[in-house]
Amino acid sequence: MSGPVRSMVGSVPLSRLAEPLLRRLSELLDRAAPGKGWRDLAQRVGSHGRVRLSPLDLEQCSLKVLEPEGSPSWSLLKLLGDRGCTVVELVEFLQALEHTEALQCLSHSGIKIVVQPDSQAVLSGQVVKLCCWATGHPFVQYQWFKQEKEVPHGNSPELVLNPVNVNDSGFYICRVNSESSFVFSQWAELEVCDLKGTSHGSLVGLPENKLHICVQPQPQNLTVGDALVLECGAVGNPIPRYQWFRNGFPLANGSKNVYMVTHVNVEHQGTYWCHVFNDQEDQDSKKIEVVIAWGCVYYLVERYAEASLLPVIQPLFEAEEDLTDLQRPGLQEQSNHRSVATDKVALLIGNMSYWNHPQLKAPMVDVYELTNLLRQLDFKVVSLLDLTESEMRNAVDEFLLLLDKGVYGLLYYAGHGYENYGNSFMVPIDAPNPYRSANCLCVQNILKLMQEKETGLNIFLLDMCRKRNEYDDTIPILDALKVTANIVFGYATCQGAEAFEIQQLGLANGIFMKFLKDRLLEDKKITVLLDEVAEDMGKCHLTKGKQALEIRSSLSEKRALTDPIQQTTASAESLARNLQWAKAHELPESMYLEFKCGVQIQLGFAAEFSNVMIIYTRIVKKPPEIVVCRAYVTDFALDLDVDPKEANKGTPEETGSYLVSKDLPKHCLYTRLSSLQKLREHLIFTVCLHYEYPGIEDKMDERKEVNVGKPLIAKLGLHHGFKNNNYFQTCCMANDSFHVDSSPLTTKYYIPSHHQTTSCPGIYHPNHICSDSIRQPEACSCNRSSRILASRHEVQNYSSPVEKSNVPVETTDDTVELEFLLSDNLRFSKQP
């Protein structure tokens, strides 16, 4: 606290407190727990305060217990008040004692704010007033804050900014003080729109607080790889909100006034506009065209998803090849001194919800974050959660179709696993207990198949345990790998050891991914990058001596994940690769449904993973005579196993979707469809509309059936049985020539006994505690909060958990988040 407010509040003596409040404080101190009573308060005052208390003073207070209604605490408070102790000093002493009840008693206020400040968007140069009026004026004092900083001279009910400028944009709050208490107003957001020197023009004469678009989006002519930035600015009160559209359909991440795509492709071409609205009115910006140059043939490849059209597209593709160097002038020179890839593709698999084995927690976040990072490096990424054996084998088949000569191929796996005779095995979610190699996928055999594609780089990131499987006595068949200089294995742990994942409330990473994601975008040779990740992991006290990254590599060239893509040929394989990847990532287009009653709803779709989709419904038009209106989706195919209790929720988190909630439009009903690979036919469901008219007790309803085809990975038919049961069991022997940079370590996983699994599909579950006695390690050096680890190693005596509970992760509006983060700081660092 500073300035006139502190001098005013700090000088209020304790004797000025109302008698009922002093009585209440006395009762709390008289019956307080040891360490928080009146004697502890007196000791704190005597040793740290400016008021001095003699032993005789304390004895007189103590003797009050002999009186019928005597109170030592009352006597002490009166004594402190008489000797000039202030309210703020008493609060500091109570804070030191951690006496929360007494602090709450002091902070309880009869102050009532009757006028709250409003959020608003205004033009630069205007006069802005933020108002906060409380009962008791003028016997209360005001202090305005911008974020956590006091506003100079902001000591009146009205905060006037004249003229306002763009630097005044932000969040404001007002603290109202009385002699002994205070309250905060609600947060108010101020947006200041700068017209960059142009006149206000048509804005002159507009009614005050009228919604008006003052900054219109501008047409864009871009080339593939450029950044797209569209801006729309509006003024009004209540503060305007935004929703961007392309070709008539809302954009999932287009809820801000600026819409941005860091690297455009031809698919981003189209007609854009922004819908601006608040609680009272709405407007559309002007429609503009975004043209993406370079890549007309790529545009055709993504538009025509039928393999039969490849002969038609092929000549066009070859014709464009001659123009490649001219259109990308710096690429040829760049390739002279660094490696290039003909393409970059990745398959990411995270298995968590095992049928017969311990549930895992972190693979969902690990796969999601790695997907986002690899896409920034221009990888075509297929990300899948919770696959059975046949689904994993078919997914690998589809992955191999994406590979070709010179392609960088990356396989990431997080889940249960083991290693026998130098060969690594990934465990599907339907593996029996105990499992053997016949039930699992051999990584080394996948490598052999990748080598047959003449790939430029083969990267395997295996976030799983590498313990010996005592139930698997199969002797691997010798099947030698080719001698190539393009193989890199990054094992999350050493041979014979376990891998860890962090167990905590909310969402968390595995130990390997926690450190890998911080360095993955660095422009370094892949083995150098992994070496630095290993060093980072070695500094974490939580896993020191338990888990260490092991790198095996035959890489002799300076190849990096950041290497550019240079498509030198236009083979039928490369065209098929693009078509195959595009098919696996095609979402249904957003649509609007009209009902007979006049209600219009928006039905939108968003992808969380390649096999997980979010459906959201929102009422966009409702006749005024309808008082209650709700739209929800139902009647899904049995293949998807959608739990009605977890569908049509008010927030994405309630459905189990914690990762994409910030990118979804607000005020909708959300349904999460997982395991889309199991969908055998088209996705057909029903949209139900419930509505009510005033004065009519009966609820009305209408229904519409919707067919959205096969979204995302469902197009690839991974549910079909695999052709050859022994396809991936044939493995190479362990006598490879890879260099091992780390020595084996033994590790354990930890799990809090109180932790419960979540009922949300695809969200984390607690791991079984290893049978050995485990001591909780020290806090990890990379984070001060205490963390617990859990093992990805199979435990044979596993029993499924019975009780389930959600682990919510809050997503809040900006003002709510600021209030949560800053209010405590304002209250305790600046309290009266």
Side-chain angles (χ1 to χ4, degrees):
M1 186 181 299
S2 62
V5 176
R6 178 174 178 86
S7 60
M8 179 275 299
V9 177
S11 61
V12 175
L14 195 58
S15 57
R16 293 276 301 276
L17 287 180
E19 184 171 326
L21 182 56
L22 281 173
R23 288 291 183 190
R24 176 59 179 158
L25 285 173
S26 301
E27 293 172 4
L28 293 174
L29 291 169
D30 283 340
R31 56 182 178 83
K36 298 182 179 182
W38 71 270
R39 288 186 181 276
D40 304 288
L41 175 61
Q43 182 180 2
R44 175 69 59 173
V45 172
S47 58
H48 296 86
R50 59 182 177 82
V51 178
R52 296 301 174 187
L53 299 175
S54 67
L56 180 59
D57 293 331
L58 297 182
E59 183 180 353
Q60 289 178 347
C61 292
S62 179
L63 290 174
K64 293 294 182 180
V65 298
L66 302 177
E67 300 177 6
E69 297 183 0
S71 166
S73 299
W74 170 268
S75 179
L76 176 63
L77 293 175
K78 293 292 288 183
L79 182 62
L80 294 177
D82 293 340
R83 296 189 180 180
C85 181
T86 64
V87 173
V88 72
E89 288 175 330
L90 177 61
V91 169
E92 292 173 352
F93 296 142
L94 293 174
Q95 285 178 344
L97 297 178
E98 298 182 354
H99 201 310
T100 55
E101 284 186 277
L103 288 170
Q104 290 172 1
C105 180
L106 272 176
S107 64
H108 177 74
S109 172
I111 301 173
K112 182 178 181 181
I113 296 178
V114 294
V115 176
Q116 295 280 2
D118 289 329
S119 296
Q120 51 189 295
V122 298
L123 286 173
S124 176
Q126 289 185 324
V127 178
V128 173
K129 290 184 180 180
L130 298 176
C131 299
C132 176
W133 291 87
T135 56
H137 181 78
F139 302 105
V140 291
Q141 290 79 33
Y142 298 85
Q143 178 60 58
W144 286 91
F145 295 86
K146 181 184 178 185
Q147 316 265 111
E148 74 277 10
K149 296 181 179 179
E150 289 185 0
V151 177
H153 312 296
N155 306 118
S156 63
E158 291 184 347
L159 177 63
V160 181
L161 303 174
N162 183 18
V164 71
N165 59 64
V166 290
N167 294 329
D168 294 320
S169 297
F171 292 87
Y172 291 80
I173 195 171
C174 184
R175 188 185 63 218
V176 184
N177 307 280
S178 69
E179 291 183 347
S180 60
S181 59
F182 59 90
V183 293
F184 283 102
S185 71
Q186 67 185 17
W187 286 96
E189 181 182 3
L190 179 62
E191 288 184 359
V192 181
C193 184
D194 187 8
L195 293 184
K196 299 178 175 62
T198 62
S199 63
H200 292 181
S202 60
L203 300 181
V204 176
L206 278 177
E208 187 177 358
N209 300 329
K210 178 74 174 178
L211 177 68
H212 187 87
I213 298 176
C214 55
V215 176
Q216 295 282 357
Q218 300 300 314
Q220 304 279 323
N221 290 300
L222 306 172
T223 58
V224 172
D226 287 347
L228 169 64
V229 180
L230 297 175
E231 182 178 1
C232 180
V235 296
N237 187 358
I239 195 166
R241 300 301 177 192
Y242 302 86
Q243 177 60 58
W244 286 91
F245 286 77
R246 182 180 72 239
N247 299 332
F249 299 106
L251 297 169
N253 58 342
S255 59
K256 302 292 185 182
N257 69 311
V258 175
Y259 177 73
M260 180 180 295
V261 179
T262 54
H263 302 286
V264 297
N265 207 332
V266 289
E267 65 190 30
H268 297 108
Q269 184 166 276
T271 303
Y272 287 76
W273 71 91
C274 187
H275 181 67
V276 185
F277 60 96
N278 58 24
D279 295 339
Q280 299 177 3
E281 50 189 328
D282 64 295
Q283 290 184 14
D284 284 337
S285 73
K286 69 178 184 180
K287 296 182 179 180
I288 57 98
E289 295 297 324
V290 174
V291 179
I292 311 296
W294 182 72
C296 60
V297 177
Y298 295 99
Y299 179 81
L300 291 174
V301 168
E302 296 200 5
R303 283 292 179 264
Y304 298 102
E306 295 295 332
S308 60
L309 294 177
L310 289 180
V312 178
I313 302 174
Q314 179 81 22
L316 296 175
F317 200 95
E318 292 173 347
E320 188 179 23
E321 179 187 349
D322 297 334
L323 302 177
T324 301
D325 291 342
L326 294 177
Q327 293 167 330
R328 305 178 69 180
L331 187 57
Q332 186 65 40
E333 290 82 1
Q334 187 181 33
S335 64
N336 291 333
H337 63 271
R338 73 172 300 164
S339 300
V340 296
T342 58
D343 206 347
K344 295 191 281 190
V345 298
L347 172 63
L348 279 52
I349 300 176
N351 284 344
M352 301 180 301
S353 305
Y354 282 86
W355 299 359
N356 307 302
H357 306 284
Q359 307 288 290
L360 297 178
K361 178 177 181 181
M364 185 181 72
V365 177
D366 291 347
V367 169
Y368 181 81
E369 293 189 339
L370 184 58
T371 296
N372 292 334
L373 292 171
L374 290 175
R375 283 176 176 167
Q376 295 181 53
L377 297 171
D378 296 324
F379 273 83
K380 292 180 173 69
V381 182
V382 177
S383 57
L384 301 169
L385 295 184
D386 290 332
L387 300 185
T388 63
E389 181 187 353
S390 63
E391 292 165 357
M392 286 184 71
R393 297 188 189 283
N394 289 330
V396 171
D397 273 342
E398 299 294 338
F399 172 60
L400 293 172
L401 292 177
L402 298 177
L403 303 180
D404 196 7
K405 185 175 182 178
V407 173
Y408 285 12
L410 185 149
L411 174 66
Y412 171 80
Y413 171 74
H416 285 311
Y418 70 95
E419 184 170 306
N420 277 7
Y421 302 101
N423 297 302
S424 303
F425 293 88
M426 303 180 294
V427 181
I429 63 169
D430 63 339
N433 190 350
Y435 47 68
R436 295 175 174 82
S437 60
N439 314 120
C440 305
L441 276 72
C442 178
V443 175
Q444 278 71 19
N445 208 34
I446 298 175
L447 171 59
K448 179 179 180 296
L449 296 171
M450 291 174 68
Q451 286 183 320
E452 293 175 359
K453 298 284 187 174
E454 300 183 14
T455 44
L457 179 63
N458 299 310
I459 305 170
F460 295 84
L461 302 176
L462 302 178
D463 200 351
M464 65 183 200
C465 296
R466 299 174 65 195
K467 301 278 285 186
R468 173 81 169 88
N469 183 0
E470 60 184 20
Y471 295 92
D472 184 10
D473 55 359
T474 304
I475 300 176
I477 301 173
L478 181 62
D479 195 359
L481 292 170
K482 293 181 180 180
V483 179
T484 59
N486 62 357
I487 304 171
V488 176
F489 274 86
Y491 293 97
T493 191
C494 295
Q495 188 173 16
E498 296 175 331
F500 285 64
E501 64 179 26
I502 299 172
Q503 287 279 356
Q504 61 179 6
L505 294 178
L507 304 180
N509 288 119
I511 289 293
F512 178 37
M513 186 56 62
K514 176 176 178 60
F515 294 96
L516 177 65
K517 66 182 182 181
D518 293 334
R519 293 192 177 272
L520 197 72
L521 299 181
E522 296 179 0
D523 187 16
K524 297 177 180 178
K525 184 178 178 181
I526 179 62
T527 49
V528 173
L529 185 147
L530 291 175
D531 276 332
E532 293 180 354
V533 174
E535 293 175 5
D536 295 340
M537 288 178 61
K539 299 174 184 176
C540 178
H541 295 308
L542 191 61
T543 54
K544 206 165 190 177
K546 303 177 179 67
Q547 177 179 348
L549 175 63
E550 181 177 327
I551 306 165
R552 295 186 178 185
S553 170
S554 64
L555 192 62
S556 61
E557 300 173 312
K558 189 177 180 181
R559 293 188 178 266
L561 297 178
T562 52
D563 289 342
I565 296 175
Q566 184 178 20
Q567 293 177 321
T568 57
T569 61
S571 65
E573 288 81 2
S574 64
L575 293 174
R577 179 170 63 249
N578 285 284
L579 292 172
Q580 193 76 354
W581 178 80
K583 282 198 301 181
H585 292 85
E586 187 174 347
L587 271 172
E589 293 186 346
S590 178
M591 62 186 71
Y592 290 84
L593 302 180
E594 293 275 359
F595 290 84
K596 294 179 181 179
C597 62
V599 172
Q600 183 186 67
I601 73 163
Q602 176 196 357
L603 187 64
F605 306 88
E608 188 172 17
F609 298 92
S610 299
N611 64 338
V612 179
M613 183 175 73
I614 311 298
I615 300 178
Y616 56 90
T617 59
R618 176 168 57 182
I619 307 294
V620 294
K621 187 176 72 175
K622 178 178 70 71
E625 61 270 19
I626 293 179
V627 292
V628 177
C629 190
R630 181 175 181 267
Y632 63 93
V633 294
T634 186
D635 299 336
F636 290 99
L638 296 178
D639 299 339
L640 297 179
D641 192 25
V642 179
D643 186 351
K645 296 179 180 179
E646 296 177 353
N648 301 292
K649 295 296 186 180
T651 64
E653 291 84 0
E654 292 179 83
T655 71
S657 179
Y658 300 96
L659 300 172
V660 296
S661 60
K662 64 181 182 301
D663 298 321
L664 295 175
K666 306 299 182 184
H667 313 300
C668 301
L669 293 181
Y670 308 89
T671 300
R672 185 176 192 261
L673 303 183
S674 57
S675 301
L676 289 176
Q677 75 277 3
K678 301 184 185 301
L679 191 64
R680 297 177 179 272
E681 305 295 339
H682 283 194
L683 178 57
I684 302 174
F685 56 91
T686 303
V687 179
C688 296
L689 177 69
H690 283 336
Y691 57 95
E692 298 179 19
Y693 290 104
I696 301 178
E697 294 184 0
D698 295 337
K699 294 182 179 180
M700 313 294 288
D701 68 281
E702 294 184 41
R703 303 167 68 90
K704 283 185 178 292
E705 187 177 86
V706 177
N707 184 340
V708 296
K710 291 187 175 182
L712 300 177
I713 203 71
K715 287 186 176 65
L716 302 185
L718 300 188
H719 60 273
H720 296 300
F722 45 92
K723 297 178 182 179
N724 190 342
N725 289 341
N726 297 320
Y727 191 61
F728 289 114
Q729 275 86 44
T730 305
C731 308
C732 62
M733 291 298 288
N735 56 349
D736 55 59
S737 58
F738 294 145
H739 172 67
V740 180
D741 298 324
S742 306
S743 59
L745 300 176
T746 58
T747 61
K748 292 292 180 183
Y749 272 68
Y750 298 84
I751 174 73
S753 59
H754 63 275
H755 194 84
Q756 295 175 331
T757 181
T758 173
S759 60
C760 300
I763 299 297
Y764 302 148
H765 299 73
N767 295 59
H768 186 75
I769 305 176
C770 294
S771 57
D772 298 341
S773 176
I774 300 172
R775 179 177 61 85
Q776 181 172 335
E778 300 175 6
C780 180
S781 62
C782 55
N783 195 316
R784 293 182 180 179
S785 59
S786 178
R787 301 291 175 88
I788 304 298
L789 302 180
S791 174
R792 286 178 176 169
H793 178 58
E794 162 63 3
V795 181
Q796 299 299 334
N797 60 350
Y798 167 75
S799 60
S800 298
V802 177
E803 188 174 0
K804 296 185 177 182
S805 66
N806 286 326
V807 184
V809 176
E810 293 186 4
T811 58
T812 60
D813 293 332
D814 292 338
T815 53
V816 177
E817 183 177 1
L818 269 172
E819 183 171 3
F820 175 77
L821 292 174
L822 301 178
S823 290
D824 284 345
N825 180 48
L826 299 181
R827 179 179 298 114
F828 291 113
S829 64
K830 300 180 181 293
Q831 65 183 358

